[in-house]
Amino acid sequence: MEKRKISKLNVETSLLGFGCMRFPQKDGKIEEVEATKMLKTAYENGVNYFDTAYVYHGGESEIFTGKVLDEFPRESYYLATKLPVWEVHKTEDVERLLDEQLKKLNKDYVDFYLLHALNGERWDEMEKLQVFEACEEMRKKGKIRFIGFSFHDDYEHFERIIRAKDWDFCQIQLNYMDTEIQAGIRGYELAEELGIPLTIMEPIKGGNLATLPEEIESIFKGKRQDTIASWALRWVASFPNIMTVLSGMSNMEQTMDNIQTFSNFEPMTEEEKELVKKVAETIRSRVANGCTGCGYCMPCPAGVDIPKNFHIWNQYHMYMNLGGLGWMWNNEIGEEQKAHHCVQCGACEKVCPQKIKIREDLQTLEKEITERLQ
């Protein structure tokens, strides 16, 4: 298993980290027999970084992960979990929540403790409550070793947060399709400049980069005998300031494939990076329409979220991921915001800088998505 030695922290982490938010499930619960085999297999093959959180699997992930890891010497792995900052209303809540997590994990300490899912607004609140300083106190008490944050917002807020404190590490979303959103490549470069190691989430973009339309997969095939997912993992893992790449594995096949990728890890060559660039460009060219999400069409008099409808439609056309389409259509947009509520007034088309036939496209996408999900 490929390891990364992080001199700043004096740790050596496996380049593959096990993300504990997508365990296999049965009847809405973690399928413990299969998930236990996956965790043990990963550990036995050199994975030593396990990442969970307060909210994963409805609060069950910390309990389950901690129970499985109890079988291994505590000093042989690194355990990461996250402070649910939305539950912090006063400074004292930090220790209360951490103690609750340590009890669930059945551990005396956590190696990596992250302020979970920070954005600009949440960070302002954490600053007021001196949450970072409270975490430092927890470090002094031996309850945590390293303090970091995970991030979901734009680059400007990322820069503000990462420069605000002496962070040990941080976690960002990065993959070859998401180089310009959230922290993105600019965020990676800033963290590298500041000497702050990164853990990476969503390297396969929620599974979208694990299977691609056949004509896109053909760009990769014949170059290496690797899986499509391994190309996405190797692309992000080739950046030097990355401590570990998290993969939320859902079955043993994914676990073994990821182990194979990182047990025989080779950084990408320039030729391979060009192939990835070509794949990314090809995926982006498949959008159903040219909506940029600028929002000039909003608000819609009928309550339709026009950019969100088009985002879901375009994402489906880019990746042809039916499971992802179902998730977005059922969870990321309200029923009252869907395309069929359009009253054909045409106000949106008068202000659209892309000159999109919005009314026509809303009808088309509603029909197409409904048919796909039947």
Side-chain angles (χ1 to χ4, degrees):
M1 175 60 58
E2 185 76 11
K3 298 288 198 334
R4 285 275 165 90
K5 189 165 187 176
I6 310 301
S7 56
K8 173 184 171 75
L9 308 180
N10 193 29
V11 300
E12 189 173 59
T13 57
S14 54
L15 190 51
L16 171 63
F18 202 120
C20 301
M21 69 172 292
R22 293 192 176 106
F23 289 130
Q25 297 184 68
K26 183 177 181 180
D27 300 325
K29 297 286 188 180
I30 297 171
E31 207 296 284
E32 295 198 6
V33 173
E34 182 69 7
T36 297
K37 290 179 183 177
M38 291 162 57
L39 282 171
K40 287 184 175 180
T41 298
Y43 176 87
E44 289 163 358
N45 282 274
V47 173
N48 68 2
Y49 192 102
F50 299 88
D51 173 274
T52 183
Y54 188 82
V55 293
Y56 291 174
H57 284 284
E60 295 298 312
S61 178
E62 287 180 324
I63 296 170
F64 172 74
T65 302
K67 180 173 66 175
V68 176
L69 292 179
D70 277 342
E71 299 189 28
F72 310 123
R74 181 63 185 89
E75 68 279 3
S76 68
Y77 60 85
Y78 301 105
L79 177 59
T81 194
K82 307 174 187 74
L83 173 70
V85 296
W86 53 90
E87 298 286 351
V88 178
H89 306 294
K90 55 184 185 296
T91 307
E92 293 76 17
D93 286 339
V94 174
E95 185 164 21
R96 175 183 63 80
L97 287 161
L98 175 58
D99 285 346
E100 179 185 344
Q101 292 175 282
L102 290 172
K103 183 177 180 181
K104 289 168 67 179
L105 290 161
N106 193 34
K107 302 292 179 287
D108 295 325
Y109 67 93
V110 172
D111 298 286
F112 294 89
Y113 199 53
L114 301 90
L115 279 63
H116 196 179
L118 284 185
N119 56 30
E121 183 179 353
R122 283 176 175 169
W123 175 242
D124 290 340
E125 185 64 21
M126 295 305 99
E127 281 271 71
K128 290 176 185 176
L129 296 174
Q130 296 188 305
V131 167
F132 181 89
E133 290 74 16
C135 287
E136 286 283 17
E137 289 300 314
M138 297 304 97
R139 192 206 305 259
K140 291 176 184 176
K141 292 184 178 183
K143 295 182 180 182
I144 58 178
R145 294 181 63 195
F146 307 114
I147 304 168
F149 66 94
S150 65
F151 180 79
H152 293 283
D153 206 339
D154 58 34
Y155 173 82
E156 287 69 29
H157 290 298
F158 177 77
E159 181 172 5
R160 183 162 64 90
I161 294 168
I162 199 170
R163 289 187 184 276
K165 304 293 180 183
D166 184 18
W167 300 100
D168 295 314
F169 72 109
C170 68
Q171 184 168 309
I172 64 171
Q173 174 175 324
L174 188 64
N175 56 68
Y176 65 73
M177 291 301 297
D178 292 337
T179 57
E180 305 299 325
I181 70 167
Q182 297 192 23
I185 288 294
R186 291 172 67 197
Y188 168 83
E189 291 172 347
L190 177 59
E192 186 174 44
E193 175 189 326
L194 297 173
I196 298 173
L198 291 168
T199 56
I200 300 299
M201 56 186 162
E202 299 295 345
I204 312 178
K205 197 173 172 63
N208 280 320
L209 302 179
T211 56
L212 296 169
E214 186 175 346
E215 63 270 26
I216 300 178
E217 288 193 359
S218 66
I219 298 172
F220 285 143
K221 287 181 177 177
K223 307 301 180 182
R224 288 173 62 102
Q225 299 303 310
D226 295 339
T227 59
I228 301 304
S230 73
W231 282 86
L233 292 168
R234 287 182 59 234
W235 180 86
V236 73
S238 296
F239 290 93
N241 190 47
I242 288 173
M243 181 169 67
T244 194
V245 178
L246 298 171
S247 177
M249 294 167 256
S250 299
N251 55 52
M252 185 61 80
E253 182 182 1
Q254 293 172 2
T255 304
M256 294 306 300
D257 184 48
N258 289 347
I259 289 170
Q260 174 72 16
T261 298
F262 286 96
S263 295
N264 301 282
F265 178 74
E266 296 177 7
M268 278 198 164
T269 65
E270 291 304 314
E271 180 184 1
E272 289 173 327
K273 290 176 184 177
E274 285 300 312
L275 285 177
V276 170
K277 183 179 179 181
K278 182 178 179 181
V279 165
E281 290 171 349
T282 305
I283 291 172
R284 292 190 183 100
S285 73
R286 292 169 55 90
V287 293
N289 74 8
C291 177
T292 64
C294 70
Y296 283 111
C297 58
M298 298 294 286
C300 166
V304 177
D305 190 332
I306 298 167
K308 177 63 76 173
N309 275 274
F310 287 156
H311 171 75
I312 293 171
W313 194 35
N314 281 327
Q315 287 285 300
Y316 174 64
H317 274 263
M318 289 164 69
Y319 302 103
M320 287 296 168
N321 182 341
L322 191 59
L325 173 65
W327 169 260
M328 288 188 291
W329 194 243
N330 294 321
N331 295 279
E332 292 190 1
I333 187 169
E335 186 60 37
E336 70 285 355
Q337 299 172 314
K338 290 181 178 178
H340 65 265
H341 290 289
C342 172
V343 296
Q344 298 288 306
C345 70
C348 52
E349 294 183 7
K350 295 176 183 177
V351 294
C352 176
Q354 307 301 323
K355 306 303 180 185
I356 295 170
K357 295 179 180 179
I358 295 175
R359 290 172 290 181
E360 181 181 323
D361 280 1
L362 286 174
Q363 288 183 320
T364 301
L365 79 85
E366 178 76 29
K367 182 175 184 293
E368 181 180 354
I369 290 175
T370 300
E371 288 177 353
R372 293 289 187 275
L373 297 181
Q374 282 179 346

